[in-house]
Amino acid sequence: MSILPALSARHVDHRSYPVGVAYMDGQYLPMAEAKISILDYGFLHSDATYDVAHVWKGNFFRLDDHLERFCRGMEQLHMSVPYDKEQMREILHNCVALSGLKDAYVEFICTRGTSPTFSRDPRDAENRFIAFAIPFGSVANEEQQKRGLNLAVTDILRIPPASLDPTVKNYHWLDMVRALYAGYAIEADSAVLVDQEGNLSEGPGFNIFVVRDGEILTPKGSVLHGITRQTIFDICSGQDIRCEQQSIPVDALKAADEVFITSTAGGVMAVTRLGGQAVGDGMIGTITQRITKCYWDMHTDARYASTVRYPDIA
Ligand code: PLP
């Protein structure tokens, strides 16, 4: 008798998944059914690029900018998919419309894919496009948003630009996961990493901003050019607030009046403690509040918003 379990036994996945809709290989699927091959180099080597947009109250925010960044990333990584930007836009709209979600986290991915011979040559692989829409998620949970985050300032080095272009959105996250655990060890909610010179870099899924004497600074190098980061530049130029990108020594955080982080997953999120120590008076600052309001107001501005057409349900 064979000790192997019957190969024909039907596999049952007992894990549970968020609700939502995915698109793979020409089909729209419930999230629980969206699976990739374990031979996909996106999985085996983190050989992939991706982007995340969000839908808020039925509107995509800056979808063109996300698609632009995604296509640039694919080009840098010598990847291509059989869809142009218009077709990708339609797929993303369809995922959200079919999910019925009014507030959604919408991720789209290009993986290196697989080759029939498991060749090590990335040129032999057939790249794969995947997209999905699940309920809106945030770097900070509701309670953290209300009181402001407690952020650990770590000396963990973000993978340097000389190794990997940080402006190509990627899944090289082990440095950031390490920083998260370093943060949890001191009861922080999340953590920020440093660049090779020891200046501030970014954190798991966010860019960081430091406010001092009414002016705002954000790291220049060793970071993803976040779409939310760009939105902060746009808000500041409209509000006559000086906002610069430059190298920021970690010590500058100690002198900050306000600190906030930005991400498509959550928007603008105040940081009120750094490693347990209060930033300024420990309250969410007025500039952070003003910018947060502008950020959410922009979500109904036709220059940035595109409305999802949900199917009529009789
Ligand atoms: N930095 C990293 C490493 C990220 O993964 C993200 C978003 O996931 C960000 C910054 C923020 O970028 P965006 O504002 O485009 O969401």
Side-chain angles (χ1 to χ4, degrees), residues 15-16 20 41 54 110 118 138 142 144 187 192 217 240 247:
R15 296 169 184 86
S16 58
Y41 283 115
H54 72 215
C110 180
F118 198 47
S138 175
E142 236 171 84
Q144 292 164 351
E187 287 171 10
V192 66
L217 297 177
D240 234 6
S247 293

Side-chain angles (χ1 to χ4, degrees), residues 82-123:
Y83 309 107
D84 61 21
K85 262 189 222 143
E86 273 322 302
Q87 290 167 315
M88 286 191 261
R89 186 197 318 278
E90 192 183 329
I91 291 168
L92 298 172
H93 269 265
N94 287 345
C95 285
V96 179
L98 290 168
S99 75
L101 293 164
K102 296 295 182 310
D103 302 327
Y105 174 103
V106 186
E107 181 153 345
F108 39 118
I109 308 159
C110 180
T111 69
R112 184 67 60 193
T114 48
S115 83
T117 59
F118 198 47
S119 154
R120 303 286 156 147
D121 184 338
R123 294 170 300 184

Side-chain angles (χ1 to χ4, degrees), residues 194-250:
V194 291
D195 70 12
Q196 270 178 303
E197 281 76 46
N199 295 313
L200 284 176
S201 170
E202 60 186 348
F206 61 82
N207 292 115
I208 188 164
F209 290 77
V210 180
V211 184
R212 176 86 205 264
D213 296 333
E215 293 181 352
I216 306 181
L217 297 177
T218 193
K220 185 176 164 67
S222 207
V223 294
L224 176 72
H225 292 168
I227 305 296
T228 325
R229 178 178 181 267
Q230 180 58 48
T231 307
I232 303 304
F233 296 149
D234 297 341
I235 291 170
C236 288
S237 72
Q239 294 275 314
D240 234 6
I241 300 172
R242 192 157 168 264
C243 183
E244 299 287 331
Q245 33 178 334
Q246 63 179 55
S247 293
I248 308 175
V250 167

Side-chain angles (χ1 to χ4, degrees), residues 50 69 169 173 176 202 205-207 224 226-228 263-264:
Y50 74 111
R69 183 172 67 179
K169 202 164 155 68
W173 268 55
M176 298 206 279
E202 60 186 348
F206 61 82
N207 292 115
L224 176 72
I227 305 296
T228 325
S263 175
T264 296

Side-chain angles (χ1 to χ4, degrees), residues 56-71:
W56 186 250
K57 296 193 165 81
N59 290 314
F60 266 101
F61 184 60
R62 300 194 85 146
L63 182 55
D64 288 350
D65 297 319
H66 287 281
L67 283 166
E68 193 68 43
R69 183 172 67 179
F70 179 66
C71 289

Side-chain angles (χ1 to χ4, degrees), residues 66-83:
H66 287 281
L67 283 166
E68 193 68 43
R69 183 172 67 179
F70 179 66
C71 289
R72 186 187 152 269
M74 280 198 294
E75 205 178 305
Q76 298 287 311
L77 300 178
H78 308 277
M79 290 174 172
S80 63
V81 290
Y83 309 107

